[in-house]
Amino acid sequence: MKRTLTAIAAAAALAAGSASALDSETLDINLSGEVDSNCELIPEGTASYAVDMLETGNQGSLTILYSCNSPYTVSLESANGGMYHNESTGGVNIDYDVEASWLGLGIGATTTNSASMAGTPVTIVTNNDWQNILFNGGTRTGNLDLSFDSPTEYAVAGTYSDVLTIILAADY
């Protein structure tokens, strides 16, 4: 009986050793994909607007719609830092304020002066959400007010110009 038990134990040990020596192979598949960044600004392109250089108040309003499929910022930049007087080659430069809020209702309101955004974009909206473009957007309605810093600037004859740029940029 002892021999039988010893033979059974030896067979079990041999079977266990055989099981651990079975052949095995694996394949690891590395998956990858990509979605390009997509930001949309409406309207986009180029527009023109005649500023009433004798009106200090609201020059009218513009509503923009924007959205991205990643975190983003909306910023403003002024080429000249104000309404550049061409005949004086900038000797007179009328700065202006841009007031912007959600649909013009004062929600999330920002006010930015053209002098502070001269050649450097000033952020008016920051969104840090990682969402689909359909859900990761907003609107801003803004108006422009001329700011005459001294009485000598008001009603100086000539032509004025500036380029106000609205920039929507993905932040990743």
Side-chain angles (χ1 to χ4, degrees):
M1 173 97 161
K2 188 175 184 184
R3 257 194 243 169
T4 306
L5 289 177
T6 303
I8 292 173
L14 182 60
S18 297
S20 65
L22 291 178
D23 188 22
S24 175
E25 295 181 5
T26 63
L27 170 64
D28 292 333
I29 300 173
N30 297 312
L31 303 175
S32 63
E34 184 175 343
V35 173
D36 291 336
S37 177
N38 184 20
C39 293
E40 295 294 330
L41 177 66
I42 300 171
E44 68 176 311
T46 303
S48 297
Y49 185 80
V51 175
D52 182 349
M53 294 305 297
L54 299 177
E55 173 61 57
T56 60
N58 189 342
Q59 293 286 329
S61 66
L62 169 68
T63 298
I64 59 168
L65 308 171
Y66 48 86
S67 191
C68 283
N69 63 349
S70 66
Y72 61 87
T73 57
V74 178
S75 55
L76 301 174
E77 183 175 358
S78 168
N80 299 322
M83 295 300 292
Y84 180 91
H85 185 254
N86 295 304
E87 289 74 14
S88 70
T89 60
V92 174
N93 194 1
I94 313 301
D95 61 320
Y96 54 84
D97 292 329
V98 176
E99 301 164 353
S101 65
W102 184 75
L103 294 177
L105 299 175
I107 300 168
T110 58
T111 300
T112 305
N113 185 273
S114 59
S116 66
M117 57 182 158
T120 303
V122 172
T123 299
I124 62 169
V125 175
T126 300
N127 183 310
N128 294 313
D129 295 335
W130 288 96
Q131 292 182 343
N132 178 305
I133 193 170
L134 297 175
F135 299 100
N136 203 28
T139 65
R140 280 291 181 270
T141 298
N143 65 293
L144 184 144
D145 296 328
L146 294 178
S147 177
F148 295 98
D149 297 329
S150 75
T152 61
E153 288 183 340
Y154 185 76
V156 175
T159 58
Y160 295 80
S161 63
D162 193 19
V163 176
L164 177 62
T165 303
I166 301 169
I167 305 157
L168 169 61
D171 285 341
Y172 83 100

